[in-house]
């Protein structure tokens, strides 16, 4: 018959084993969370109900609204993804889903879903593979070939025609040679500008899913652009008027891209506005946003053209655009720079009342994770 000391020892041993098991589970969960939080790739661990138990820093950056203790389905409302997570949690195994987000810009992911060992509804581990850059590069190759072949065909045909003429009937005609060589030089420069703009647009699109975060002074860039385009404005007898805050106005951005954005907008206003008119450039600061606005007093733009102005190679007046040296890509470049900076572009115009182009960007410290 066991002694009273032995009778008291059994419950104590059971309690110790219970506490040891709890400590072991807590330790295992803590280790798993630490491991996931140390990973560079976007990874999230969900419990059997789809609630986030642990997230890697890459996952927090990818889906800013997701936190531990929050259901993934409340943040990523994709039916295919949520059905796949449900299936894996219930039946186990693995699944792969591709997710494409269209707003505010296109991003594509391949998501690997794997069930962890267990019975009943299982915890699942999701690993996100970003396919955005790969998709953009594939589309860029196709677009570049299509656009380049279409837009380069005319100047290239012109060059070949003049070369044949100089080699044949105008071989000894000095006046024709000088005139044709000048035209050939102009066509060659046009092709160079076109290739440069196509490459610039491709580079911007390739990085569209990565928001720039370097502090850039928007007011300082505006002053720099006005100085650099002063000669062009004098040639067109256009007055440039600049309004900027005295203090630096910083936005998270890519300085070279913002320079290109402002240059395109101001140069367009000078070229397509009224000769002898005025172009007003305004840099303004709001509480959470900053804006760069360019207004001309030119002939304005008809309403039916406004929605299509930022399309590649769309021109309101093709002849005037080519005469001014335009490639038809300037506003497409502006649009993609604004989108990459997580901003928005507005265009207001009426025939006979000029046009106003306004780029609105998040201020430094007010931008969410991209």
């Amino acid at each position: 018959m066991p002694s009273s000391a032995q009778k008291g020892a059994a419950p104590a041993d059971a309690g110790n084993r219970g506490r040891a098991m709890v400590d072991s589970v807590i330790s295992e969960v803590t280790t798993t969370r630490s491991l996931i939080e140390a990973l560079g790739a976007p990874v999230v661990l969900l419990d059997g109900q789809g609630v986030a138990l642990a997230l890697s820093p890459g996952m927090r950056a990818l889906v800013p609204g997701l936190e531990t203790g929050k259901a993934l389905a409340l943040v990523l409302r994709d039916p295919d993804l949520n059905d796949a997570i449900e299936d894996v949690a219930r039946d186990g195994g693995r699944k792969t889903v591709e997710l494409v987000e269209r707003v505010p810009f296109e991003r594509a992911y391949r998501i690997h879903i794997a069930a962890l060992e267990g019975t009943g509804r299982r915890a699942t581990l999701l690993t996100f593979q970003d396919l955005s850059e790969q998709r953009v590069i594939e589309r860029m190759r196709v677009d570049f070939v299509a656009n380049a072949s279409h837009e380069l065909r005319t100047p290239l045909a012109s060059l070949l025609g003049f070369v044949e003429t100089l080699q044949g009937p105008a071989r000894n005609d000095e006046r024709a040679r000088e005139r044709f060589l000048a035209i050939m030089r102009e066509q060659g420069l046009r092709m160079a500008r076109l290739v440069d703009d196509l490459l610039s647009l491709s580079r911007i699109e390739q990085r569209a899913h990565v928001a720039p975060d370097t502090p850039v002074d928007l007011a300082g860039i505006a002053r720099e652009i006005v100085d650099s385009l002063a000669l062009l404005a004098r040639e067109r007898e256009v007055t440039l008027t600049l309004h900027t805050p005295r203090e630096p106005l910083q936005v998270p951005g890519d300085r070279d891209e913002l320079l290109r954005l402002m240059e395109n907008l101001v140069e367009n206003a000078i070229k397509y506005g009224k000769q002898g008119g005025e172009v007003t450039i305004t840099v303004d600061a709001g509480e959470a946003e900053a804006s760069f606005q360019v207004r001309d007093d030119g002939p304005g733009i008809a309403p039916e053209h406004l929605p299509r102005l930022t399309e590649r190679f769309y021109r309101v007046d093709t002849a005037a655009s080519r005469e001014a040296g335009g490639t038809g890509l300037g506003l497409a470049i502006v649009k993609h720079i604004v989108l990459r900076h997580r901003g928005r572009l507005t265009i207001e115009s009426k025939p006979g009342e000029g046009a106003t182009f306004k780029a609105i960007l998040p201020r430094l410290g007010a931008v969410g994770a991209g």
Side-chain angles (χ1 to χ4, degrees):
M1 185 171 183
S3 65
S4 59
Q6 289 174 324
K7 288 180 181 178
D13 290 343
N16 290 336
R17 285 195 299 272
R19 283 193 296 272
M21 290 178 65
V22 171
D23 291 342
S24 175
V25 170
I26 293 174
S27 175
E28 184 177 342
V29 170
T30 302
T31 301
T32 302
R33 285 179 175 171
S34 299
L35 177 62
I36 289 175
E37 290 170 0
L39 294 174
V43 177
V44 58
L45 175 65
L46 306 178
D47 68 9
Q49 306 304 317
V51 175
L53 296 176
L55 300 86
S56 68
M59 191 67 199
R60 294 180 187 276
L62 183 67
V63 187
L66 184 61
E67 298 289 344
T68 53
K70 190 171 186 178
L72 180 67
L74 296 177
V75 184
L76 291 178
R77 301 175 183 272
D78 184 80
D80 292 338
L81 172 61
N82 293 322
D83 287 347
I85 295 171
E86 172 73 18
D87 292 343
V88 172
R90 184 184 62 247
D91 304 328
R94 295 171 176 268
K95 280 197 173 185
T96 301
V97 176
E98 290 200 359
L99 172 64
V100 178
E101 294 181 334
R102 307 287 181 186
V103 178
F105 50 89
E106 186 170 317
R107 300 182 74 166
Y109 307 99
R110 181 176 292 124
I111 306 168
H112 303 274
I113 309 166
L116 304 187
E117 291 183 5
T119 57
R121 294 185 61 85
R122 301 163 178 81
T124 53
L125 186 70
L126 277 64
T127 306
F128 285 65
Q129 179 185 358
D130 196 341
L131 304 176
S132 304
E133 187 170 344
Q134 176 184 330
R135 297 284 176 85
V136 168
I137 291 173
E138 291 173 359
R139 189 168 59 250
M140 278 167 33
R141 289 172 181 163
V142 175
D143 288 349
F144 184 85
V145 172
N147 293 328
S149 62
H150 174 73
E151 289 293 322
L152 291 173
R153 187 178 291 115
T154 300
L156 188 57
S158 178
L159 279 174
L160 292 174
F162 285 123
V163 168
E164 291 173 1
T165 303
L166 290 173
Q167 288 177 332
R171 177 176 300 180
N172 299 316
D173 189 334
E174 185 174 342
R175 291 179 61 187
R177 184 168 60 247
E178 292 299 320
R179 184 163 59 89
F180 290 166
L181 286 175
I183 297 173
M184 291 167 67
R185 181 178 184 277
E186 182 181 332
Q187 295 295 329
L189 290 173
R190 179 184 163 196
M191 285 194 292
R193 288 193 299 270
L194 179 59
V195 170
D196 180 59
D197 280 356
L198 281 169
L199 292 175
S200 294
L201 186 56
S202 296
R203 283 192 292 267
I204 295 164
E205 288 182 326
Q206 185 176 348
R207 297 182 301 224
H209 60 289
V210 181
D213 56 7
T214 304
V216 179
D217 177 16
L218 209 60
I221 294 180
R223 287 189 284 269
E224 185 175 335
I225 288 299
V226 169
D227 289 341
S228 68
L229 293 176
L231 178 59
L232 176 63
R234 283 198 297 271
E235 291 174 353
R236 292 272 302 171
E237 300 178 351
V238 171
T239 301
L240 295 180
T241 303
L242 176 64
H243 302 288
T244 63
R246 293 184 178 181
E247 300 298 323
L249 178 54
Q250 291 191 326
V251 299
D254 181 308
R255 191 174 189 277
D256 289 339
E257 289 185 5
L258 291 177
L259 275 168
R260 187 66 180 272
L261 180 153
M262 293 188 185
E263 181 182 41
N264 283 1
L265 290 181
V266 177
E267 187 174 340
N268 279 357
I270 295 171
K271 288 181 177 179
Y272 304 117
K274 182 170 66 177
Q275 184 162 359
E278 182 180 12
V279 171
T280 304
I281 302 106
T282 305
V283 178
D284 198 14
E287 184 176 342
E289 296 177 323
S291 64
F292 174 79
Q293 177 179 290
V294 179
R295 175 169 177 77
D296 66 61
D297 54 2
I301 305 166
E304 63 268 21
H305 294 296
L306 294 179
R308 301 191 60 190
L309 283 179
T310 57
E311 292 180 12
R312 295 182 184 209
F313 302 114
Y314 186 82
R315 299 175 175 94
V316 175
D317 186 334
T318 302
S321 174
R322 287 178 175 167
E323 185 180 346
T327 62
L329 291 171
L331 289 179
I333 290 173
V334 167
K335 180 188 75 172
H336 283 86
I337 291 174
V338 170
L339 288 177
R340 182 175 180 240
H341 284 72
R342 307 304 184 256
R344 59 191 189 278
L345 178 69
T346 65
I347 305 173
E348 297 178 0
S349 182
K350 292 181 180 179
E353 298 184 13
T356 302
F357 293 80
K358 188 174 185 179
I360 304 166
L361 308 173
R363 292 190 65 174
L364 192 68
V367 62

